[in-house]
């Protein structure tokens, strides 16, 4: 019951919390490193004593979803009586290391870290281990054995949902001799999740590529070639423009473009809108449910997004922290207490070779123009008279 009440409070407080990301609650991307670990006292002294001090390290404020994650986590933990230290590290791994070190010096009892680069935090993680501070890798796995638990969505499934959507929409199983043209855009090589997203999608699509039903006209199919540093929209836009001018300027039809997330899909959509010579509507995938992309879905520019309810991710994270702090046994039974669909996985993820990381994995959902109401039903979005969605006030 406590977590359900907190969840309702969180929805009402979201807008104020997002605004607070630029205030003393959190360091912003433009803050100096020395200011990165500014702390907001949460509640009175008795509430802090009853809870503890939680360090929350987010990668950047330049992507909409991380603003949402930071806001949800901060609100959840403050509502539960914890003191929080929330930082954003401007997609700078060195700054994130410094932010985490400042949190440790400030006496946090537990760290929640969404890593910029899963392999670049060893110094800070080793210091956390030396101080016996539990670490939860949030959304992105950190490749260091100091990590106690991993909370994320089933990232491989995100990719398979995108791939299967393309298969179903193009009806590839009944294509006969028809060949459909497709291009691919993956995510940030520094983000461990990016390979899971892309791998899941390609496991679905590769049999059709090998059979000749799908044709990657550019020939660019390996992850390193199609990856997008920092998930940057402009980087995705520039590459998409180059692909279109090099392989589709003669009117060759493009049928689908696999994009691993919404920020890259935004760049690809811009390129197709301005530079694609064909007249057909190109199927474009995405992930996250960013407002600009939901607008594109309404307008028929983007076809789908895989939605990950990050408010539920914060609920699971809070429940896990409460269990850790109270010394409860952490096993599959805990997943049943969160009130959201979640599985406990001890096999899929490793922080180093052979070192399995216990993981709590949430379930993503496909969103198209036909089921946008599902987002409204979460209470986290509202729909205007024009059909466009925006974050709930």
């Amino acid at each position: 019951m406590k977590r359900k009440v907190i969840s309702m409070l969180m929805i009402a407080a979201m807008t104020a919390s997002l605004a607070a990301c630029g205030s003393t609650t959190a360091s912003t991307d433009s803050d100096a490193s020395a200011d990165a670990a500014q702390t907001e006292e949460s509640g009175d002294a008795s509430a802090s004593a009853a809870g503890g001090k939680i360090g929350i390290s987010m990668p950047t404020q330049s992507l909409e979803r991380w603003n949402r994650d930071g806001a949800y986590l901060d609100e959840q933990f403050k509502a539960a009586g914890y003191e929080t230290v929330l930082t954003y590290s401007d997609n700078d791994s060195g700054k994130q290391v410094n932010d985490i070190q400042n949190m440790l010096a400030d006496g946090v009892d537990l760290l929640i870290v969404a890593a910029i680069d899963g392999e670049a935090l060893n110094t800070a993680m080793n210091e956390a281990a030396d101080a016996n501070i539990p670490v939860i890798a949030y959304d992105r796995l950190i490749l260091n054995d100091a990590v106690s638990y991993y909370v994320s969505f089933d990232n491989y499934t995100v990719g398979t949902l995108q791939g299967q959507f393309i298969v179903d929409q193009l009806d590839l199983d009944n294509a006969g001799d028809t060949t459909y043209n497709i291009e691919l855009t993956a995510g940030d090589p520094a983000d461990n999740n990016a390979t899971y997203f892309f791998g899941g999608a390609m496991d679905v699509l590769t049999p059709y590529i090998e059979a000749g039903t799908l044709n990657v006209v550019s020939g660019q199919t390996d992850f390193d070639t199609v990856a997008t540093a920092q998930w940057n929209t402009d980087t995705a836009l520039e590459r998409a423009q180059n692909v279109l001018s090099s392989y589709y300027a003669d009117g060759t039809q493009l049928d689908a473009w696999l994009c691993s997330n919404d920020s890259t899909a935004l760049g690809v959509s811009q390129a197709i809108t301005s530079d694609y010579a064909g007249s057909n509507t190109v199927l474009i995938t995405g992930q996250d449910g960013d407002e600009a992309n939901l607008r594109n879905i309404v307008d028929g520019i983007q076809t789908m997004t895989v939605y990950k309810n990050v408010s539920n991710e914060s609920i699971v994270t809070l429940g896990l922290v409460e269990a850790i702090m109270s010394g409860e046994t952490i096993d599959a039974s805990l997943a049943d207490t969160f009130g959201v669909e979640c599985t406990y996985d001890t096999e899929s993820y490793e922080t180093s070779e052979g070192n399995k990381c216990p993981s709590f994995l949430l379930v993503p959902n496909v969103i198209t123009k036909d089921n946008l109401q599902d987002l409204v039903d979460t209470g986290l979005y509202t729909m205007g008279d024009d059909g466009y969605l925006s974050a709930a006030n």
Side-chain angles (χ1 to χ4, degrees), residues 90-128:
D90 197 23
N91 271 330
D92 182 337
S93 292
K95 186 176 188 300
Q96 188 166 40
V97 169
N98 187 66
D99 287 347
I100 294 170
Q101 288 175 322
N102 286 341
M103 291 178 186
L104 292 170
D106 198 29
V108 297
D109 298 298
L110 184 144
L111 287 167
I112 300 167
V113 180
I116 295 166
D117 184 337
E119 300 184 34
L121 299 180
N122 286 332
T123 298
M125 293 296 98
N126 292 341
E127 291 179 14

Side-chain angles (χ1 to χ4, degrees), residues 65 139 153 155 158 197 287-288 306-310 364:
R65 72 141 305 176
D139 202 77
F153 283 80
N155 297 311
V158 170
F197 300 146
Q287 174 196 178
D288 287 331
V306 177
Y307 178 63
K308 302 187 302 185
N309 188 331
V310 295

Side-chain angles (χ1 to χ4, degrees), residues 158-200:
V158 170
T160 61
L161 288 173
Q162 293 170 335
Q164 191 60 49
F165 185 87
I166 292 171
V167 169
D168 293 342
Q169 291 297 302
L170 297 180
D171 196 18
L172 298 184
D173 290 329
N174 297 304
D177 295 331
T178 303
T179 296
Y180 294 93
N181 294 330
I182 187 172
E183 296 296 334
L184 316 168
T185 292
D188 186 358
D191 181 351
N192 183 71
N193 289 350
T195 55
Y196 283 95
F197 300 146
F198 188 69

